[in-house]
Amino acid sequence: MSTARSSLTHWGAFTATVADGDIAAVRPWGEDTDPAPALGNLPGSVRHVSRVTTPAVRRGWLRDGPGPSSRRGADEFVAVSWDELVELLSGELRRVIGVHGNEAIFGGSYGWSSAGRFHHAQSQVHRFLNCLGGYTFSRHSYSLGATGVIMPRVVGTHDDLFKRSTQWDVIVEHTGLMVCFGGVALKNTGVNHGGTTAHPAREALDRYARKGGRVVSVSPLRDDFTGACDWWPVRPGTDVAVMLGLAYVLATEGLADEAFLESHCTGYRRFERYLLGLDDGVPKTPRWAAEICGLDADQLVELARQMAAERTLVTVSWSLQRTRFGEQAPWMGLTLAAMLGQIGLPGGGFGHGYGSMNEPGLTPLRCGLPRLPQGVNPVRSFIPVAAVSDMLLHPGEPFDYNGARLTYPDIRLVYWAGGNPFHHHQNLPRLRRALHRPDTVVVHDPYWTAMARHADIVVPSTTFAERDDLSGSRNDPVLMAMPKLTEPYAHSRDDYDTFAALASALGVGAEFTEGRTSAQWLRHMYQTWSRTLDFEVPTFDEFWAHGHLRLPTEPGLTLLSEFRSNPHRHRLATPSGRIEIFSADIDGFGYDDCAGHPRWFEPAEWLGGELAQRYPLHLLANQPVTRLHSQLDGGAASQRSKVAGREPIRMSPGDARARGLTDGDVVRVFNDRGACLAGVVVDEALRPQVVQLATGAWYDPLDPSDPDSLCVHGNPNMLTDDLGTSSLARGCTGAHALVQVEKFTGEAPPVRAYERPVLAAR
């Protein structure tokens, strides 16, 4: 017998047909005109072969007790009962806290495990650890590690760049020219944190094109913009040089808005000296820029003049700051927009993240959303989120971060719930060695991901389909009820119930649960939230029965419009209260990899450097089309994209021909850090010497006992580096790497990424 129920995921709302304890089919929500293809991964996901069916403990840990181990990722697991798991795990938490203190626990959870406001795994584990006395935490995200540090210092905000961005309707009506560094990749607009019920970007860009708006997409990939555009196939990693060349034209031809730079910005003259070459003897002319970026100098001059003549929106994708010196691209994009003087004008100015997620361009809610309180973390030790390997490998060593001198803590227990760092983190051989160091690694996961396979204690979690929840997004007008679609599979449990049992065993049960079940928490969260509103909402029972609630939004927003209208009353949260083209604070830090104003730093890995003689292809490790990160990689939509069962690597016809490759060939992709196999797709939509291999293929080492072993499935993090963006932000640099590609000869090894490990007898 089948039933039909509605729910919400990060990539869209839908109605599911449920049969035999699993999702049999999905239908996108009726109001969504451009549903995300990742919805196609949901059928069969509840009972997928990769589900964790029982609590499990690594044999070596169970036999020898806690301690560093090189067997993580290669050892057998032993099935245990829930009672035994609670006893073992609560005992280990008690030991670590008692001997080493709460700072020795890394609450490393990171990811998009569920759109639910209550069952969000990261919120649950952090609430639990705070009840125990806290944990070492991480700051910012892999997506926005550099932006999260640089933009508050130069424009006084980070989140408002996305949640209060210039809206699509305003762009369609007022913008004449969009100059999009990194394009506007619609594949990424399929997702939004907290869920999304509509995907309006494609329709908005169609309206913009019909109106006659022009788009210049500066990207090595043609499909980083869908539809009509002028494609400028820039050399990867050189966008800052392009922006400097454009800025030089504005400065030297009298096209910069001097009045705006004087009234709303600080430090332009210091930057201008660099731009004109007065300090270093190198004017940043269009010809200088063209030699670096591989574009035409005359086209740069023409574009700069048009930008000054029209209502122009300068956008910078998130991908541009996921590389070495990543702080510079958004800072320089903001500076270029400031020189045009259109910041705060409808349809003009600056945008960050269009085409990086669904949120930019959408109308924000006029209210907050229900939330689960996470408590207060009294532990002050933290790391930038992408420094997890550094932390584990170098306890007690100092490091620079955002003007401070910090020390890596000595982590004895890693507690991970709701994320897969083998997708997010770079240099997987190094990460595996780092995971050898702690005494204990604990992972909550519905699936046997690579992180679960590297755990000592594996806790089988339910999926969103197996529990009641509610969710919404700060830039989506709908709060959705998420009723359970089916019963929990095998021995999986809600994370909340697991933490409640652990909290009880550790003497903080009442503090964690506050005497509420999951169902009572949902009602309590909704009712507490409803009392904060200045408009009427239905009762919880009415909301749950109806299935969704439409909330008021703020239409017609233009980023920084209030600041433009009155920079004194609406001062920015920067030291000057203005846009800081030159930051005295950053300059005072004395970092040699981040100056006091935006500038061009030559990266170690780019096609203009010496390393390109050995590794002549520039790999772009961007987000996939057919899934969110690595989620549900075994689903039908993701599997249809595979080539010979492996992640596809796209390359230009000339690069393929030079290596004797054709569509469907299995290739070895390699550099000094590692290697993986992938399946070739020949595509003219790439700049020559550029290859693209999306992130998210589940890590599958040929020899699980060897950290340097080839990944047979195509995870590009075997190739990417985990060196931080700079001493300022230490953000993720996983978007770029230099590689070589060669045809794989012989019989290709099978992909075993989705197979459950053998559970050995006790």
Side-chain angles (χ1 to χ4, degrees):
M1 183 176 180
S2 63
T3 58
R5 296 172 184 164
S6 296
S7 192
L8 181 69
T9 67
H10 293 298
W11 50 93
F14 65 95
T15 299
T17 301
V18 180
D20 298 324
D22 208 337
I23 298 172
V26 296
R27 185 177 71 255
W29 209 41
E31 298 182 25
D32 192 351
T33 59
D34 187 26
L39 285 174
N41 289 323
L42 290 174
S45 61
V46 175
R47 292 175 174 262
H48 193 266
V49 65
S50 61
R51 280 298 298 268
V52 181
T53 60
T54 182
V57 179
R58 187 174 62 81
R59 177 181 285 282
W61 191 95
L62 193 61
R63 180 188 62 233
D64 303 326
S69 175
S70 61
R71 291 292 296 162
R72 292 189 180 111
D75 209 349
E76 297 176 324
F77 285 89
V78 176
V80 299
S81 68
W82 272 107
D83 287 344
E84 188 171 6
L85 180 136
V86 170
E87 180 182 357
L88 289 168
L89 183 46
S90 62
E92 176 61 357
L93 286 163
R94 187 180 293 111
R95 181 193 73 85
V96 170
I97 293 171
V99 175
H100 304 287
N102 286 79
E103 185 180 282
I105 299 174
F106 180 58
S109 299
Y110 177 88
W112 295 50
S113 65
S114 172
R117 302 290 297 176
F118 176 70
H119 287 293
H120 181 240
Q122 192 176 42
S123 300
Q124 289 285 343
V125 69
H126 290 170
R127 176 180 173 87
F128 168 69
L129 292 175
N130 283 337
C131 288
L132 296 183
Y135 60 98
T136 291
F137 60 99
S138 60
R139 280 190 177 167
H140 299 299
S141 70
Y142 281 88
S143 296
L144 289 163
T147 291
V149 174
I150 189 67
M151 298 316 278
R153 288 196 172 275
V154 301
V155 74
T157 185
H158 174 229
D159 282 357
D160 279 359
L161 296 176
F162 319 128
K163 71 179 181 182
R164 301 189 67 80
S165 57
T166 300
Q167 292 167 12
W168 285 119
D169 287 345
V170 175
I171 293 171
V172 171
E173 181 178 355
H174 295 283
T175 304
L177 171 63
M178 293 178 67
V179 181
C180 305
F181 292 94
V184 179
L186 291 180
K187 66 181 176 63
N188 300 325
T189 65
V191 303
N192 209 9
H193 50 67
T196 192
T197 59
H199 298 88
R202 187 185 306 272
E203 186 269 339
L205 288 172
D206 286 345
R207 286 191 288 129
Y208 176 77
R210 290 196 299 270
K211 191 202 72 170
R214 181 190 177 196
V215 174
V216 176
S217 179
V218 184
S219 171
L221 305 178
R222 172 60 181 89
D223 51 5
D224 268 349
F225 191 89
T226 302
C229 73
D230 295 328
W231 176 37
W232 287 22
V234 67
R235 183 177 285 164
T238 65
D239 301 80
V240 171
V242 178
M243 297 179 203
L244 286 166
L246 296 170
Y248 185 91
V249 177
L250 300 180
T252 57
E253 296 191 4
L255 300 177
D257 190 327
E258 299 282 351
F260 183 84
L261 291 169
E262 179 66 26
S263 60
H264 290 74
C265 306
T266 187
Y268 171 72
R269 296 303 174 195
R270 290 286 298 271
F271 165 75
E272 188 182 55
R273 289 188 60 82
Y274 167 76
L275 182 67
L276 300 179
L278 300 180
D279 291 331
D280 61 4
V282 182
K284 312 309 179 294
T285 65
R287 187 164 303 281
W288 168 87
E291 291 177 357
I292 293 172
C293 68
L295 299 176
D296 182 80
D298 291 338
Q299 283 186 315
L300 290 174
V301 174
E302 179 186 353
L303 178 60
R305 292 169 178 168
Q306 185 181 3
M307 291 169 72
E310 294 202 46
R311 185 62 58 87
T312 299
L313 181 65
V314 177
T315 72
V316 177
S317 73
W318 292 355
S319 62
L320 300 191
Q321 48 88 66
R322 293 182 62 242
T323 186
R324 186 73 172 138
F325 315 115
E327 295 85 357
Q328 303 306 312
W331 194 0
M332 186 58 221
L334 178 71
T335 299
L336 182 61
M339 292 177 69
L340 292 170
Q342 299 182 25
I343 289 175
L345 293 178
F350 177 70
H352 190 22
Y354 291 94
S356 299
M357 199 172 69
N358 199 33
E359 182 177 70
L362 273 60
T363 57
L365 293 180
R366 202 164 53 76
C367 61
L369 290 166
R371 62 181 298 273
L372 174 68
Q374 295 179 34
V376 177
N377 183 2
V379 173
R380 295 295 87 203
S381 64
F382 72 91
I383 61 165
V385 69
V388 61
S389 290
D390 287 337
M391 173 188 67
L392 295 176
L393 290 169
H394 302 292
E397 294 189 14
F399 66 98
D400 291 314
Y401 172 74
N402 200 11
R405 188 72 165 167
L406 305 174
T407 302
Y408 288 121
D410 185 3
I411 297 300
R412 300 306 180 100
L413 187 146
V414 172
Y415 209 126
W416 213 283
N420 177 16
F422 283 79
H423 160 73
H424 292 291
H425 200 73
Q426 286 66 55
N427 197 337
L428 295 185
R430 188 167 184 259
L431 175 65
R432 289 195 65 186
R433 289 180 169 87
L435 287 172
H436 294 167
R437 298 295 299 273
D439 292 347
T440 300
V441 177
V442 184
V443 172
H444 290 218
D445 208 309
Y447 301 97
W448 279 106
T449 62
M451 188 60 184
R453 293 172 185 269
H454 284 76
D456 299 306
I457 299 176
V458 181
V459 182
S461 299
T462 52
T463 67
F464 80 96
E466 300 159 287
R467 58 206 183 203
D468 291 336
D469 212 332
L470 53 81
S471 197
S473 168
R474 64 190 184 187
N475 284 66
D476 191 273
V478 178
L479 181 70
M480 288 285 294
M482 300 170 61
K484 181 169 62 175
L485 303 181
T486 186
E487 293 302 313
Y489 178 55
H491 295 286
S492 58
R493 282 187 183 177
D494 295 351
D495 289 330
Y496 177 76
D497 292 335
T498 299
F499 288 129
L502 289 167
S504 178
L506 291 163
V508 293
E511 182 180 353
F512 177 76
T513 68
E514 298 184 21
R516 299 185 184 96
T517 64
S518 296
Q520 291 168 334
W521 265 111
L522 289 180
R523 184 179 297 272
H524 173 75
M525 288 166 55
Y526 183 91
Q527 292 173 341
T528 301
W529 165 74
S530 66
R531 289 193 289 269
T532 69
L533 305 176
D534 59 3
F535 55 91
E536 294 294 322
V537 296
T539 67
F540 177 80
D541 289 331
E542 292 168 338
F543 157 70
W544 196 258
H546 185 63
H548 67 274
L549 169 63
R550 190 163 292 275
L551 299 172
T553 60
E554 297 182 60
L557 284 184
T558 292
L559 180 67
L560 297 177
S561 60
E562 292 181 336
F563 167 68
R564 181 187 183 88
S565 65
N566 193 327
H568 303 290
R569 177 178 297 176
H570 301 287
R571 287 172 53 90
L572 302 179
T574 61
S576 65
R578 302 177 179 185
I579 296 169
E580 302 225 338
I581 295 174
F582 174 83
S583 167
D585 285 348
I586 295 175
D587 187 59
F589 298 154
Y591 299 147
D592 60 7
D593 53 3
C594 189
H597 55 70
R599 55 161 288 187
W600 161 253
F601 289 89
E602 180 178 343
E605 294 195 40
W606 73 299
L607 292 174
E610 291 183 8
L611 190 61
Q613 301 301 313
R614 292 173 55 207
Y615 298 112
L617 298 174
H618 195 121
L619 169 69
L620 299 179
N622 60 358
Q623 295 299 328
V625 176
T626 57
R627 57 183 178 265
L628 167 58
H629 300 322
S630 64
Q631 283 192 44
L632 304 182
D633 183 37
S638 183
Q639 288 299 300
R640 281 194 294 271
S641 72
K642 305 288 184 179
V643 175
R646 294 156 226 283
E647 195 65 18
I649 183 169
R650 296 196 298 160
M651 59 196 319
S652 70
D655 291 327
R657 190 164 49 248
R659 291 161 177 79
L661 301 173
T662 59
D663 281 325
D665 283 343
V666 175
V667 293
R668 177 175 171 262
V669 191
F670 63 96
N671 59 20
D672 289 337
R673 284 181 286 273
C676 67
L677 300 185
V680 171
V681 174
V682 180
D683 194 339
E684 294 183 348
L686 290 86
R687 176 189 171 97
Q689 290 187 274
V690 173
V691 294
Q692 179 264 323
L693 177 63
T695 61
W698 282 16
Y699 172 64
D700 190 8
L702 182 62
D703 179 0
S705 67
D706 179 8
D708 295 309
S709 181
L710 173 83
C711 173
V712 305
H713 192 196
N715 188 318
N717 286 331
M718 289 296 298
L719 309 158
T720 53
D721 199 2
D722 62 349
L723 180 68
T725 53
S726 77
S727 301
L728 182 71
R730 295 193 176 272
C732 163
T733 58
H736 295 232
L738 290 181
V739 301
Q740 180 59 286
V741 174
E742 64 182 13
K743 189 169 185 177
F744 184 81
T745 58
E747 185 176 354
V751 174
R752 305 184 188 276
Y754 315 113
E755 297 178 4
R756 296 171 185 156
V758 175
L759 296 180
R762 191 68 176 265

